[in-house]
Each structure stands twice: as structure tokens, then as C-alpha cells.
Amino acid sequence: MTTEPFISAQKSGLQIGGDWTLAHYSTLQKQVDTARGGLGSGVAVDLSALGSLDTAGAALIVELLGVSRMADLDATMPNLPAERRALLQTVATAMALGGKEAKAPRRSALIELLENIGKAVQGLWEQALALLGFTGVVLSSMFTILLLPGRWRITSLVTHLEQSGLNAVPIVALLTFLVGAVVAFLGATILADFGASIYTVNLVAFSFLREFGVLLTAILMAGRTASAFTAQIGSMKANEEIDAIRTLGLSPVELLVLPRVFAMLIALPMLTFIAMLSGMVGGAVVCALALDISPSMYLSILQENIELRHFLVGICKAPIFAFLIAVIGCLEGFKVTGSAQSVGERTTSSVVQSIFVVIVLDAIAALFLMEVGW
């Protein structure tokens, strides 16, 4: 096969052969310009003598023969090697686009919406599985530690109990006092139209003993403590301290998670009790100032009309909420990937997840207890 590139006019048509590579580009460009004028649409072209071919040579051939001929190479030149045919067709396609990238077809808005919903559901399912698995690990470690008092970390427990419980007393008491006053004021305003202002006491007591006391406290702890747990563990993860703990043969769950979980299990019920009392005190202040219901009458109504089961309903939710808030906060901390941005994202995620879980479980519990007559 001839190595020198050529374009030869034959009786049967135009023959192209030789080495069509970048080394001969300047010579080939002149031949292409000369041959282009005598090449009609009906002139046959023979590429059987074509030797080496690169992108530069293929571009010249496409320029000479046109893009439409390249589309018919499979039928018109079946003996042309497959790799050269593919190169010619690829270059022809690129030249037909004029150097512009092909635009992806516009997708339907409905398809994109369904895709986003599917991704969100899948992400929610993965988070639920991760939370369930981590909960199992924490429970297993808890039961193991309870049987081995020598491995209890009392100092860490007391520290977290102070941070999570004692330091949260002022804000919990103040918030629930104000909410109790607002509930009493609104209740008195509405009930006064029916001549039933005295039932404002029952409204405040029922709402705080059953719902508001534990719910407001859990939401505050989710925003205050779950975020702190995530930030603390996440910072340790970013600094590779958790890897160091594993290298020393220690369990991060036992060392970092359990003291926080136990502290929340102790602190949240106590804070819930304080929230219940503060809310009812706020209601008592409004009743004394706006309804002329003295504190002694307020206490008497509480003693006569409010049953113990209402208190038990609210206080029994507290350990469940405490466990979930602590577990979610610690789990999100372990998900930190090593950057400050990841710490911030996981901290936000822990707060959102904790509040969401608390509200959903509280709603389910309220509906269930209403159905069973509690």
C-alpha cells in the first residue's frame, strides 16, 4: 500500500489512498481544495487504498466528501476497516454539530418531580435503617454495661448531666412558664364567652401534664443538646480522635455515646417535671390576675379534677424522647466526613430529625391514648 497520500481521479470515480495523517496535512489540504471543485454528488469514491488515518486526515476527507457520504459508509464501502469507518463517522458527526455539544433533551417536569420524590424517599429509608441499626448497637452496649459496674463512666455521666440537665433548667422553666400563661390567657378569653372561665385551670393542667410539658422540653433539648452531641462527636471525628480511640482498643459507643444517652435519660424526665410545674404556675398567675382565682382555689381545683394518669401519660413519654434525641445526635456526629462544613450540616440534620421524630411520636401517642381512653 502506498504511504504517500494521494487523491486520484479514475474512470470509475475518485480514489483516495496513502497516509492521511497530520504529517501530510499541508499537502493534503491543497489536494482537497483542488479536488473539491470536480467532485459531484454522483461521483463514486474509493477508499480501499487508504492507509494510516488520524483525526486531522479524517477531517480533510469529511471536508472533501461531505457529511452525508459518511453516513452511508457502511453500505457504500463495506471493505473499509471498521476502525477507520468509525473515526470518519465520529469526525463527521462532530463537524456536523459545528463544534457545539449536543444538548440533552429537556426532561419532563413531572418526571423530574417524581425522581426527586423517589430520591427523598430513598434517603429517608436509608436514614431510618441507619437509625435502627445504631439503636440496636446502643441498646446492646447499654445492657452490657449495666451488668459491669466497673465500666461505668461516672465522671463523664455527671459532666453531661450537668450540661444537658442542670444548665437547661432556666430556659425550660422560663419558656414553659410563659407558654402556660399564654394558654391560660387564651383559654380564659374563649371560655369567658360561655361563662366557663373556671375551666381554664383544667385546660392548663391537662395541656401541660399530657402534652406541652414533655413536648416543649423535648423540642428544646433536641435543639440544644442533640446539636451539642453532634458537634462534639463530629469534631472528634474530623480530628481523627475516634480513630485513635478504636486504635487503643476502646469502643466509641461505650466511651462517647452511652454517657450522653444515660445523661439524657435522667435529665429529660426531670426537666419535664419542672416544665409541668412551671407551666401550671404560669397559668396560676394569669388566673390570679385576670380571673380572680386565688392560688388556694387553683390548687383545690387541680386536686379535685386532675387525675394522676394525666401526669403519668406525660412523664412516660420523656424517657422515649430522651433516648431518641441522644441517639440521633450521636449518630449524626459519627456521620461527619472531616470538614467544618460537614459538622455544620450534620448538626442541622440532627436537630431537624430529632424535632421531627419527637413531634411524630407524640402525635401517634396522643391518638393511641385517646382511642384507649387514657
Side-chain angles (χ1 to χ4, degrees):
M1 182 176 291
T2 305
T3 58
E4 289 297 323
F6 65 88
I7 302 175
S8 176
Q10 306 291 334
K11 293 182 179 180
S12 59
L14 194 66
Q15 186 178 29
I16 298 175
D19 184 0
W20 284 63
T21 58
L22 185 61
H24 306 286
Y25 187 85
S26 58
T27 303
L28 287 170
Q29 180 68 62
K30 296 178 182 179
Q31 297 184 38
V32 167
D33 293 339
T34 303
R36 184 186 294 113
L39 183 63
S41 59
V43 176
V45 179
D46 182 12
L47 297 176
S48 60
L50 188 61
S52 299
L53 181 68
D54 62 6
T55 306
L60 288 174
I61 293 176
V62 173
E63 182 182 346
L64 175 63
L65 303 180
V67 175
S68 60
R69 288 179 182 266
M70 297 299 103
D72 299 330
L73 283 180
D74 295 336
T76 59
M77 301 179 190
N79 296 328
L80 188 66
E83 65 275 8
R84 293 172 188 166
R85 183 187 300 114
L87 177 58
L88 287 168
Q89 291 177 339
T90 302
V91 172
T93 302
M95 293 176 68
L97 292 174
K100 298 180 180 179
E101 296 184 359
K103 294 183 179 179
R106 186 172 182 179
R107 304 176 63 189
S108 169
L110 178 60
I111 294 178
E112 292 185 357
L113 175 62
L114 294 176
E115 181 181 355
N116 292 333
I117 293 175
K119 289 180 180 179
V121 172
Q122 182 181 3
L124 183 62
W125 174 250
E126 292 175 353
Q127 287 182 353
L129 290 179
L131 178 60
L132 184 62
F134 190 70
T135 300
V137 173
V138 172
L139 288 174
S140 176
S141 301
M142 286 178 62
F143 292 132
T144 302
I145 291 298
L146 289 175
L147 300 177
L148 301 172
R151 293 167 62 178
W152 293 359
R153 300 187 178 276
I154 303 300
T155 303
S156 179
L157 174 63
V158 172
T159 300
H160 291 299
L161 187 59
E162 178 185 3
Q163 295 175 352
S164 304
L166 184 60
N167 294 344
V169 170
I171 187 172
V172 170
L174 177 61
L175 177 67
T176 51
F177 176 85
L178 296 176
V179 174
V182 170
V183 171
F185 180 77
L186 293 176
T189 302
I190 300 300
L191 294 174
D193 296 336
F194 303 94
S197 299
I198 194 67
Y199 291 105
T200 302
V201 179
N202 301 64
L203 174 63
V204 173
F206 286 153
S207 60
F208 272 88
L209 290 178
R210 296 182 67 95
E211 298 294 337
F212 285 170
V214 64
L215 185 60
L216 291 175
T217 304
I219 291 175
L220 280 174
M221 298 299 283
R224 180 183 183 276
T225 307
S227 59
F229 289 172
T230 302
Q232 292 165 1
I233 296 177
S235 298
M236 297 180 68
K237 181 76 178 295
N239 295 330
E240 299 182 354
E241 295 178 41
I242 293 180
D243 294 334
I245 291 173
R246 291 194 176 99
T247 302
L248 294 173
L250 301 174
S251 171
V253 174
E254 180 180 334
L255 189 66
L256 302 176
V257 177
L258 292 186
R260 290 172 168 82
V261 173
F262 284 129
M264 280 291 289
L265 288 173
I266 297 172
L268 190 55
M270 297 173 65
L271 291 173
T272 299
F273 181 73
I274 293 173
M276 292 176 179
L277 293 180
S278 298
M280 289 189 291
V281 169
V285 170
V286 172
C287 289
L289 297 178
L291 302 178
D292 294 329
I293 299 177
S294 64
S296 59
M297 182 183 298
Y298 189 91
L299 292 175
S300 176
I301 295 173
L302 289 179
Q303 185 177 3
E304 293 178 1
N305 299 334
I306 307 303
E307 301 177 10
L308 179 63
R309 62 185 176 91
H310 301 301
F311 168 77
L312 296 177
V313 166
I315 205 67
C316 287
K317 298 177 186 176
I320 300 174
F321 293 165
F323 179 81
L324 290 174
I325 291 170
V327 167
I328 291 174
C330 294
L331 174 60
E332 291 300 308
F334 282 110
K335 290 182 180 179
V336 171
T337 56
S339 63
Q341 180 181 357
S342 179
V343 174
E345 291 174 351
R346 291 302 172 184
T347 300
T348 302
S349 177
S350 69
V351 174
V352 173
Q353 289 186 47
S354 300
I355 294 176
F356 176 79
V357 169
V358 164
I359 293 176
V360 169
L361 288 182
D362 185 74
I364 294 174
L367 293 175
F368 174 77
L369 293 172
M370 181 178 65
E371 289 295 326
V372 298
W374 266 64

